[in-house]
């Protein structure tokens, strides 16, 4: 439930007719009243994500060097593993979303199972030293991520009004990114302080992940955070079935948003490749490589809330496409002949701005087109298309790098991103009614 200042009005001060109730049943706040605070559930989930991201980003920060330099994998082999790491969750996101919706108030426990599975995979990396077992472990880790992502985002969406949903996702992503900022720093310090650096990183990562699961169990409410729906609703309540979830794609707004997320994901080079390309351009020593994600995380942290609020006001679709414009500029800088000292800062700021303008904003936009009873399933549809597309991009980029070199591979990705962005401009989802927020 909301804190005291999130109330829309009192019996003595009814909301004006010009501010109709949102789709979630919350009236717009009166003029002069402070804007609704972020729901406690969002803050609790942000804490869980912060701790969990410290754990996961510790591994992500060292994984490229561990696989390419330590184990000697080719760019194609790394691209395959990176695609598994970032795209395998797509195979289970729909299942996670469906389980959460079907259980009524089961969002927390489905998400908790996902967090626990990912935590259990961390110590297994100590035992794997070849491509196949590492791939299986990463697949299991991403299965956990797939299970938890849609239920977690549904809890954020259902805990927020449509008018503040972009800010709620921005706050959560900012807290999540604070963990992403700390994770590489912790990994860097461990690598410098220990002899068996990689083993120590994986061990500490496991301990931190367990702490995140405990916080979820203790602090996140287990039931629904929304009031019961009104009895005079004009539309029948859909049953949470897989058929009903897939039928959501008949809604023009959600269908167009899903198609755009898929197309743009096909040209989104993974973070690890961006950092490897930047390292090659600048000749960054291996011991400093783990610090590169800090730049992206810092920019994401600073921009997530402002861009979330901007999306609520100016339109989520505009901010989402502008974020991909920032990614295109990132590609351009990596392809340019510029070697100034400001290059890494510009690349990492733009890279972080891309995530701040797209990650939570996409979920906020998708929430406007999905009923509460199918919120997890609907968000999972969008996430699945995007994750599958990024899996294909990782494998394709790794293959192109191996066959033609990194510069040709990045040029092809930049051209593809520009084409997909232009095509997406023509697929702008229709603006929902005023009471449902901005698309």
């Amino acid at each position: 439930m909301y804190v005291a200042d999130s109330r829309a009005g009192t019996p003595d001060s009814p909301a004006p007719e010009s501010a109709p109730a949102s789709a979630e049943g919350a009236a717009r706040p009166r003029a002069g009243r402070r804007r609704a605070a972020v729901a406690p559930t969002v803050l609790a989930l942000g804490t869980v994500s912060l701790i969990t991201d410290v754990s996961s980003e510790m591994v992500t920060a060292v994984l490229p060097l561990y696989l390419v330099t330590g184990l000697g994998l080719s760019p194609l082999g790394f691209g395959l593993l990176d695609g598994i790491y970032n795209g395998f969750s797509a195979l289970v996101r729909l299942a996670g979303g469906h389980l959460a919706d079907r259980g009524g108030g089961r969002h927390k426990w489905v998400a908790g199972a996902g967090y626990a599975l990912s935590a259990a995979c961390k110590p297994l990396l100590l035992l794997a030293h070849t491509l196949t077992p590492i791939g299986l472990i990463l697949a299991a880790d991403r299965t956990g991520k797939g299970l938890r992502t849609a239920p977690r985002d549904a809890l954020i969406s259902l805990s927020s009004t449509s008018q503040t949903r972009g800010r709620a996702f921005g706050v959560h992503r900012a807290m999540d990114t604070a963990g992403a900022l700390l994770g590489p720093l912790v990994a860097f310090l461990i690598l410098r302080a220990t002899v068996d650096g990689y083993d120590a990183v994986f061990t500490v990562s496991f301990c931190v992940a367990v702490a995140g699961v405990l916080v979820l169990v203790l602090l996140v409410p287990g039931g629904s955070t929304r009031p019961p729906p009104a009895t005079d609703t004009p539309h029948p309540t859909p049953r949470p079935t897989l058929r009903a979830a897939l039928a959501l794609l008949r809604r023009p707004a959600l269908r167009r948003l899903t198609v755009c997320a898929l197309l743009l994901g096909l040209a989104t080079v993974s973070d690890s490749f961006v950092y490897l390309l930047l390292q090659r351009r600048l000749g960054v020593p291996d011991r400093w490589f783990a610090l590169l994600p800090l730049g992206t995380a810092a920019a994401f942290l600073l921009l997530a809330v402002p861009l979330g609020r901007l999306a609520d006001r100016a339109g989520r679709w505009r901010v989402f496409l502008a974020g991909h414009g920032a990614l295109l500029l990132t590609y351009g800088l990596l392809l340019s002949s510029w070697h100034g000292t400001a290059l890494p800062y510009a690349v990492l700021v733009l890279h972080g701005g891309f995530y701040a303008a797209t990650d939570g904003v996409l979920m906020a936009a998708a929430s406007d087109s999905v009923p509460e009873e199918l919120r997890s399933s609907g968000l999972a549809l969008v996430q699945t298309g995007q994750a599958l597309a990024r899996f294909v991009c990782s494998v394709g980029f790794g293959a192109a790098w191996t066959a033609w070199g990194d510069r040709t591979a990045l040029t092809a990705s930049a051209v593809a991103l520009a084409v997909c962005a232009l095509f997406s401009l023509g697929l702008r989802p229709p603006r929902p009614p005023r009471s449902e927020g901005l698309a």
Side-chain angles (χ1 to χ4, degrees), residues 48 51-52 108 111-117 119 208-219:
V48 175
I51 297 172
T52 302
K108 169 183 174 177
Y115 280 111
L117 177 58
V208 175
V210 171
V213 176
L214 292 176
V215 171
L216 174 75
V217 172
L218 296 175
L219 297 183

Side-chain angles (χ1 to χ4, degrees), residues 45-55 172 174-180 182 208:
L45 287 169
T47 302
V48 175
S49 293
L50 188 155
I51 297 172
T52 302
D53 239 37
V54 172
S55 169
H172 174 268
M175 296 180 71
D176 181 270
T177 306
L182 293 173
V208 175

Side-chain angles (χ1 to χ4, degrees), residues 351-370:
H351 197 228
F354 156 69
Y355 279 111
T358 58
D359 191 10
V361 171
L362 176 62
M363 291 298 96
S367 297
D368 294 333
S369 303
V370 180

Side-chain angles (χ1 to χ4, degrees), residues 245-265:
L246 294 175
L248 291 173
L249 291 176
R250 297 174 184 170
R251 299 176 176 233
L254 187 66
R255 182 172 62 249
R256 295 180 187 181
L257 200 65
T258 303
V259 170
C260 291
L262 189 152
L263 289 176
L264 293 168

Side-chain angles (χ1 to χ4, degrees), residues 113 162 189 238 246 248 272 283 320 331 342-343 357 362 395 404 411 416:
S162 185
L189 295 176
L246 294 175
L248 291 173
S272 297
F320 179 70
Y331 293 172
L343 175 63
L362 176 62
V395 176
W404 303 303
T411 301

Side-chain angles (χ1 to χ4, degrees), residues 26 36 141 143 163 181 206 237 277 280 305 360 371 393 404 408-409 425:
D141 177 83
T143 297
Q163 289 75 34
L181 191 64
F206 167 68
T237 300
L277 289 166
R280 289 196 168 203
V305 175
C393 182
W404 303 303
T408 300
L425 284 173

Side-chain angles (χ1 to χ4, degrees), residues 391-419:
F391 171 82
V392 172
C393 182
S394 288
V395 176
F397 189 87
W401 185 339
T402 301
W404 303 303
D406 56 347
R407 190 173 184 83
T408 300
L410 186 59
T411 301
S413 296
V415 172
L417 180 60
V419 171

